[in-house]
Amino acid sequence: MAQSKYKIFLSVVELGSLTKTAELYGYTQSAISHAINALENETRLRLLIRNRGGVRLTPDGERLMPQVRKIVDALDGFWETVDAVHGLEAGCVRVGAFNSVSVHWLPQMIKAFQQEHPKVDFRILNGDYHDIAQWFQDGSIDMGFVTRETSIPGCEYIPLTEDRLLAVLPENHRLAGRDRIAACELAGEAFISLLENSNQDARSVLEQAGVEVDIKYTAKDDYAILAMVEQGLGVSIMPELLLDGHSVGVRTVEIAGAQKRTIGLAVSAAGAGSPAVEHFAAFVKQWIGEKYS
């Protein structure tokens, strides 16, 4: 893990909770449990007692705590020196991201990264796929979250994870009670779409199925589309990550054929020369791997 198991163990003890420690580092609770189990397996000792009230140290854990604190202090000093050697005592990472990543990933990623690199600053530009491609072209960003289908010349592409594409319907829609629909069932529906240069996700699903919809409304902002669907103005197709926590007033339904987008990270050639950018790119890949493992 990006944080050592010793640092995670110390945080669990200080916070008295695996859940709070997971929130602090932006990991799942199971990932935190895995780190604690790894330390207990390595020492062949039971270090924590876990119950509904939280966690507390065993007698063996109490005996080891002073040494754990020394290890964590030594590791912090070690990585501070490494950062200085690599120029990470300061720096700025310029990131382009679409809405779902800006809301559901980046805040946790940055918080966890700055636990280790507190002096690295971030500049976040939020926009659609077209905006991100343009920002790479004019040099406004060092890295950006993109889909596999987004062409970014001169950038390294790092695939991260797949994200399902779901039908988004008003609560009272005729298909809202279904668990799964075929894309062809949206034919003829009033459709709410992103602007032409940013609607690759929905267009891909519809084109693969040979479906034509009646695009009644277009908008640049994903959450504006959600609000319009909620008001019964039409239907849409949107990524699952974007819909996390935004199900009030709408219904999401799986589309047959396991429709997905692949989210990745593009890093510019100029950005790849920055230690801060390289470290954050590696951190993002590891964070996603642990979150979706």
Side-chain angles (χ1 to χ4, degrees), residues 60-222:
D60 290 334
E62 291 276 8
R63 290 184 62 186
L64 288 180
M65 274 303 293
Q67 299 305 319
V68 170
R69 293 186 187 279
K70 289 180 181 179
I71 290 171
V72 170
D73 289 341
L75 285 171
D76 285 345
F78 172 79
W79 286 114
E80 286 173 7
T81 302
V82 170
D83 288 350
V85 171
H86 285 288
L88 267 178
E89 70 278 0
C92 180
V93 180
R94 303 174 303 162
V95 185
F98 39 84
N99 278 332
S100 51
V101 168
S102 295
V103 173
H104 298 294
W105 284 358
L106 270 176
Q108 295 178 60
M109 287 176 175
I110 292 172
K111 181 178 181 180
F113 183 78
Q114 291 197 318
Q115 296 290 328
E116 298 179 9
H117 310 295
K119 295 183 180 179
V120 174
D121 297 325
F122 286 83
R123 181 187 176 201
I124 310 300
L125 297 183
N126 185 48
D128 57 27
Y129 299 154
H130 176 74
D131 293 328
I132 294 169
Q134 183 61 47
W135 292 330
F136 271 117
Q137 185 175 338
D138 62 27
S140 297
I141 56 176
D142 306 302
M143 62 171 61
F145 291 86
V146 298
T147 62
R148 189 185 299 276
E149 295 74 22
T150 305
S151 177
I152 310 291
C155 291
E156 176 190 5
Y157 176 78
I158 304 168
L160 297 174
T161 191
E162 291 187 324
D163 187 25
R164 290 194 304 166
L165 300 173
L166 304 175
V168 187
L169 314 169
E171 285 185 317
N172 61 352
H173 192 274
R174 61 185 176 85
L175 300 173
R178 301 265 296 277
D179 293 327
R180 178 184 297 180
I181 64 171
C184 63
E185 295 182 81
L186 298 176
E189 291 281 343
F191 198 85
I192 308 171
S193 172
L194 288 170
L195 299 178
E196 178 65 23
N197 55 19
S198 298
N199 72 345
Q200 294 100 315
D201 298 330
R203 186 170 63 236
S204 174
V205 173
L206 297 171
E207 287 180 351
Q208 286 181 34
V211 175
E212 290 188 11
V213 293
D214 179 16
I215 298 179
K216 295 283 288 185
Y217 310 98
T218 58
K220 184 177 175 64
D221 183 81
D222 300 289

